[in-house]
Amino acid sequence: MNNTPRYLLLPCMIIAIGIALAGFFIGNTLYKSRVALNTVTVKGLAERRVDADQANWKINYSVSGKSKSDIPDLYKESESNKNRVLDYLKKGGIEDGEIRIGVISYSSEEYRNEDKVLVDERHTLTGVIEVETTRVSIIEAVRGTINELMVEGIDITNNPSQYRFTGLNKIKPEMLKEATKNARIAAAEFATNSGSEIGRIRSARQGGFTIIDVGERFGDTKRLKKDVRVVTTSEFYVDN
């Protein structure tokens, strides 16, 4: 049995109808706003082929002896070999400011027979010379001939050189502009095919820049030529 006084029924009904109508209008407004928001999301690509602008190269040189007592003489020989390597680099056009001389490291190995008796030993001094330059092409030229020092009796390790592109910030703005332009072209083509027109941009998201050696799937230090790539994601309004 309903105990609600009759004089309260009419106000309650009015409030309930008001709430229902408010919910309808709010829901209808949201629905219409979604329908009216016609957009298309596309990706834009920009690519550049660039040259490495920095090169790094390490050369190791080693001397060895069979006794720890040989170390003083080994050190003198190591210093002589270091100077010969430096002379070769400078004759090849590499400048003092592009060369860094590392410390000499010492290592030893012992060889024992089955009875644990020492039968041989080896003591080695290894030095390192590092070259860093923005004159990338000169590294290729000198590195291609430095093995001639081996013929002169110097034990060197001609490590692979590394080539880097450091000018990304200089080309970023133009690449982003190009990627956004290409995204608009893709959006316009979509709109044309659907009988619409592309409007202004609603939002844009920048992907990360990637630098890859030409001809490689990953890595950016092996080759002089690099491919720089960026993809942007843009959302455009579409006018029917």
Side-chain angles (χ1 to χ4, degrees), residues 25-152:
F25 285 121
I26 292 173
N28 194 43
T29 300
L30 290 175
Y31 169 76
K32 287 183 177 179
S33 67
R34 292 193 196 100
V35 171
L37 190 62
N38 291 329
T39 62
V40 59
T41 301
V42 293
K43 294 184 181 297
L45 169 67
E47 290 182 305
R48 291 281 192 284
R49 180 155 293 184
V50 299
D51 294 316
D53 55 17
Q54 179 180 299
N56 297 81
W57 178 34
K58 289 184 180 182
I59 308 104
N60 297 100
Y61 53 96
S62 302
V63 291
S64 300
K66 291 185 173 295
S67 172
K68 196 168 185 178
S69 61
D70 294 334
I71 291 180
D73 291 333
L74 291 176
Y75 182 79
K76 292 178 181 177
E77 184 182 353
S78 178
E79 285 292 292
S80 174
N81 289 347
K82 177 191 73 177
N83 291 328
R84 291 165 70 183
V85 173
L86 290 173
D87 287 343
Y88 193 93
L89 295 177
K90 293 173 184 179
K91 287 178 181 178
I94 296 176
E95 300 174 355
D96 287 334
E98 299 170 323
I99 298 172
R100 188 175 74 84
I101 302 172
V103 298
I104 294 177
S105 62
Y106 165 74
S107 63
S108 63
E109 297 174 294
E110 293 184 345
Y111 305 93
R112 298 178 182 270
N113 61 19
E114 295 179 356
D115 298 323
K116 308 299 181 182
V117 177
L118 181 65
V119 295
D120 197 8
E121 57 185 303
R122 184 181 181 87
H123 300 267
T124 303
L125 297 180
T126 302
V128 60
I129 296 174
E130 299 182 36
V131 179
E132 181 176 311
T133 180
T134 57
R135 298 182 300 145
V136 176
S137 59
I138 201 169
I139 294 295
E140 280 289 281
V142 179
R143 185 171 179 268
T145 60
I146 197 170
N147 288 344
E148 294 174 356
L149 292 176
M150 294 182 184
V151 180
E152 300 178 16

Side-chain angles (χ1 to χ4, degrees), residues 196-213:
S196 306
E197 291 184 1
I198 199 68
R200 61 186 175 86
I201 191 170
R202 181 170 184 259
S203 65
R205 298 190 303 276
Q206 173 194 325
F209 280 81
T210 59
I211 304 175
I212 305 292
D213 289 328

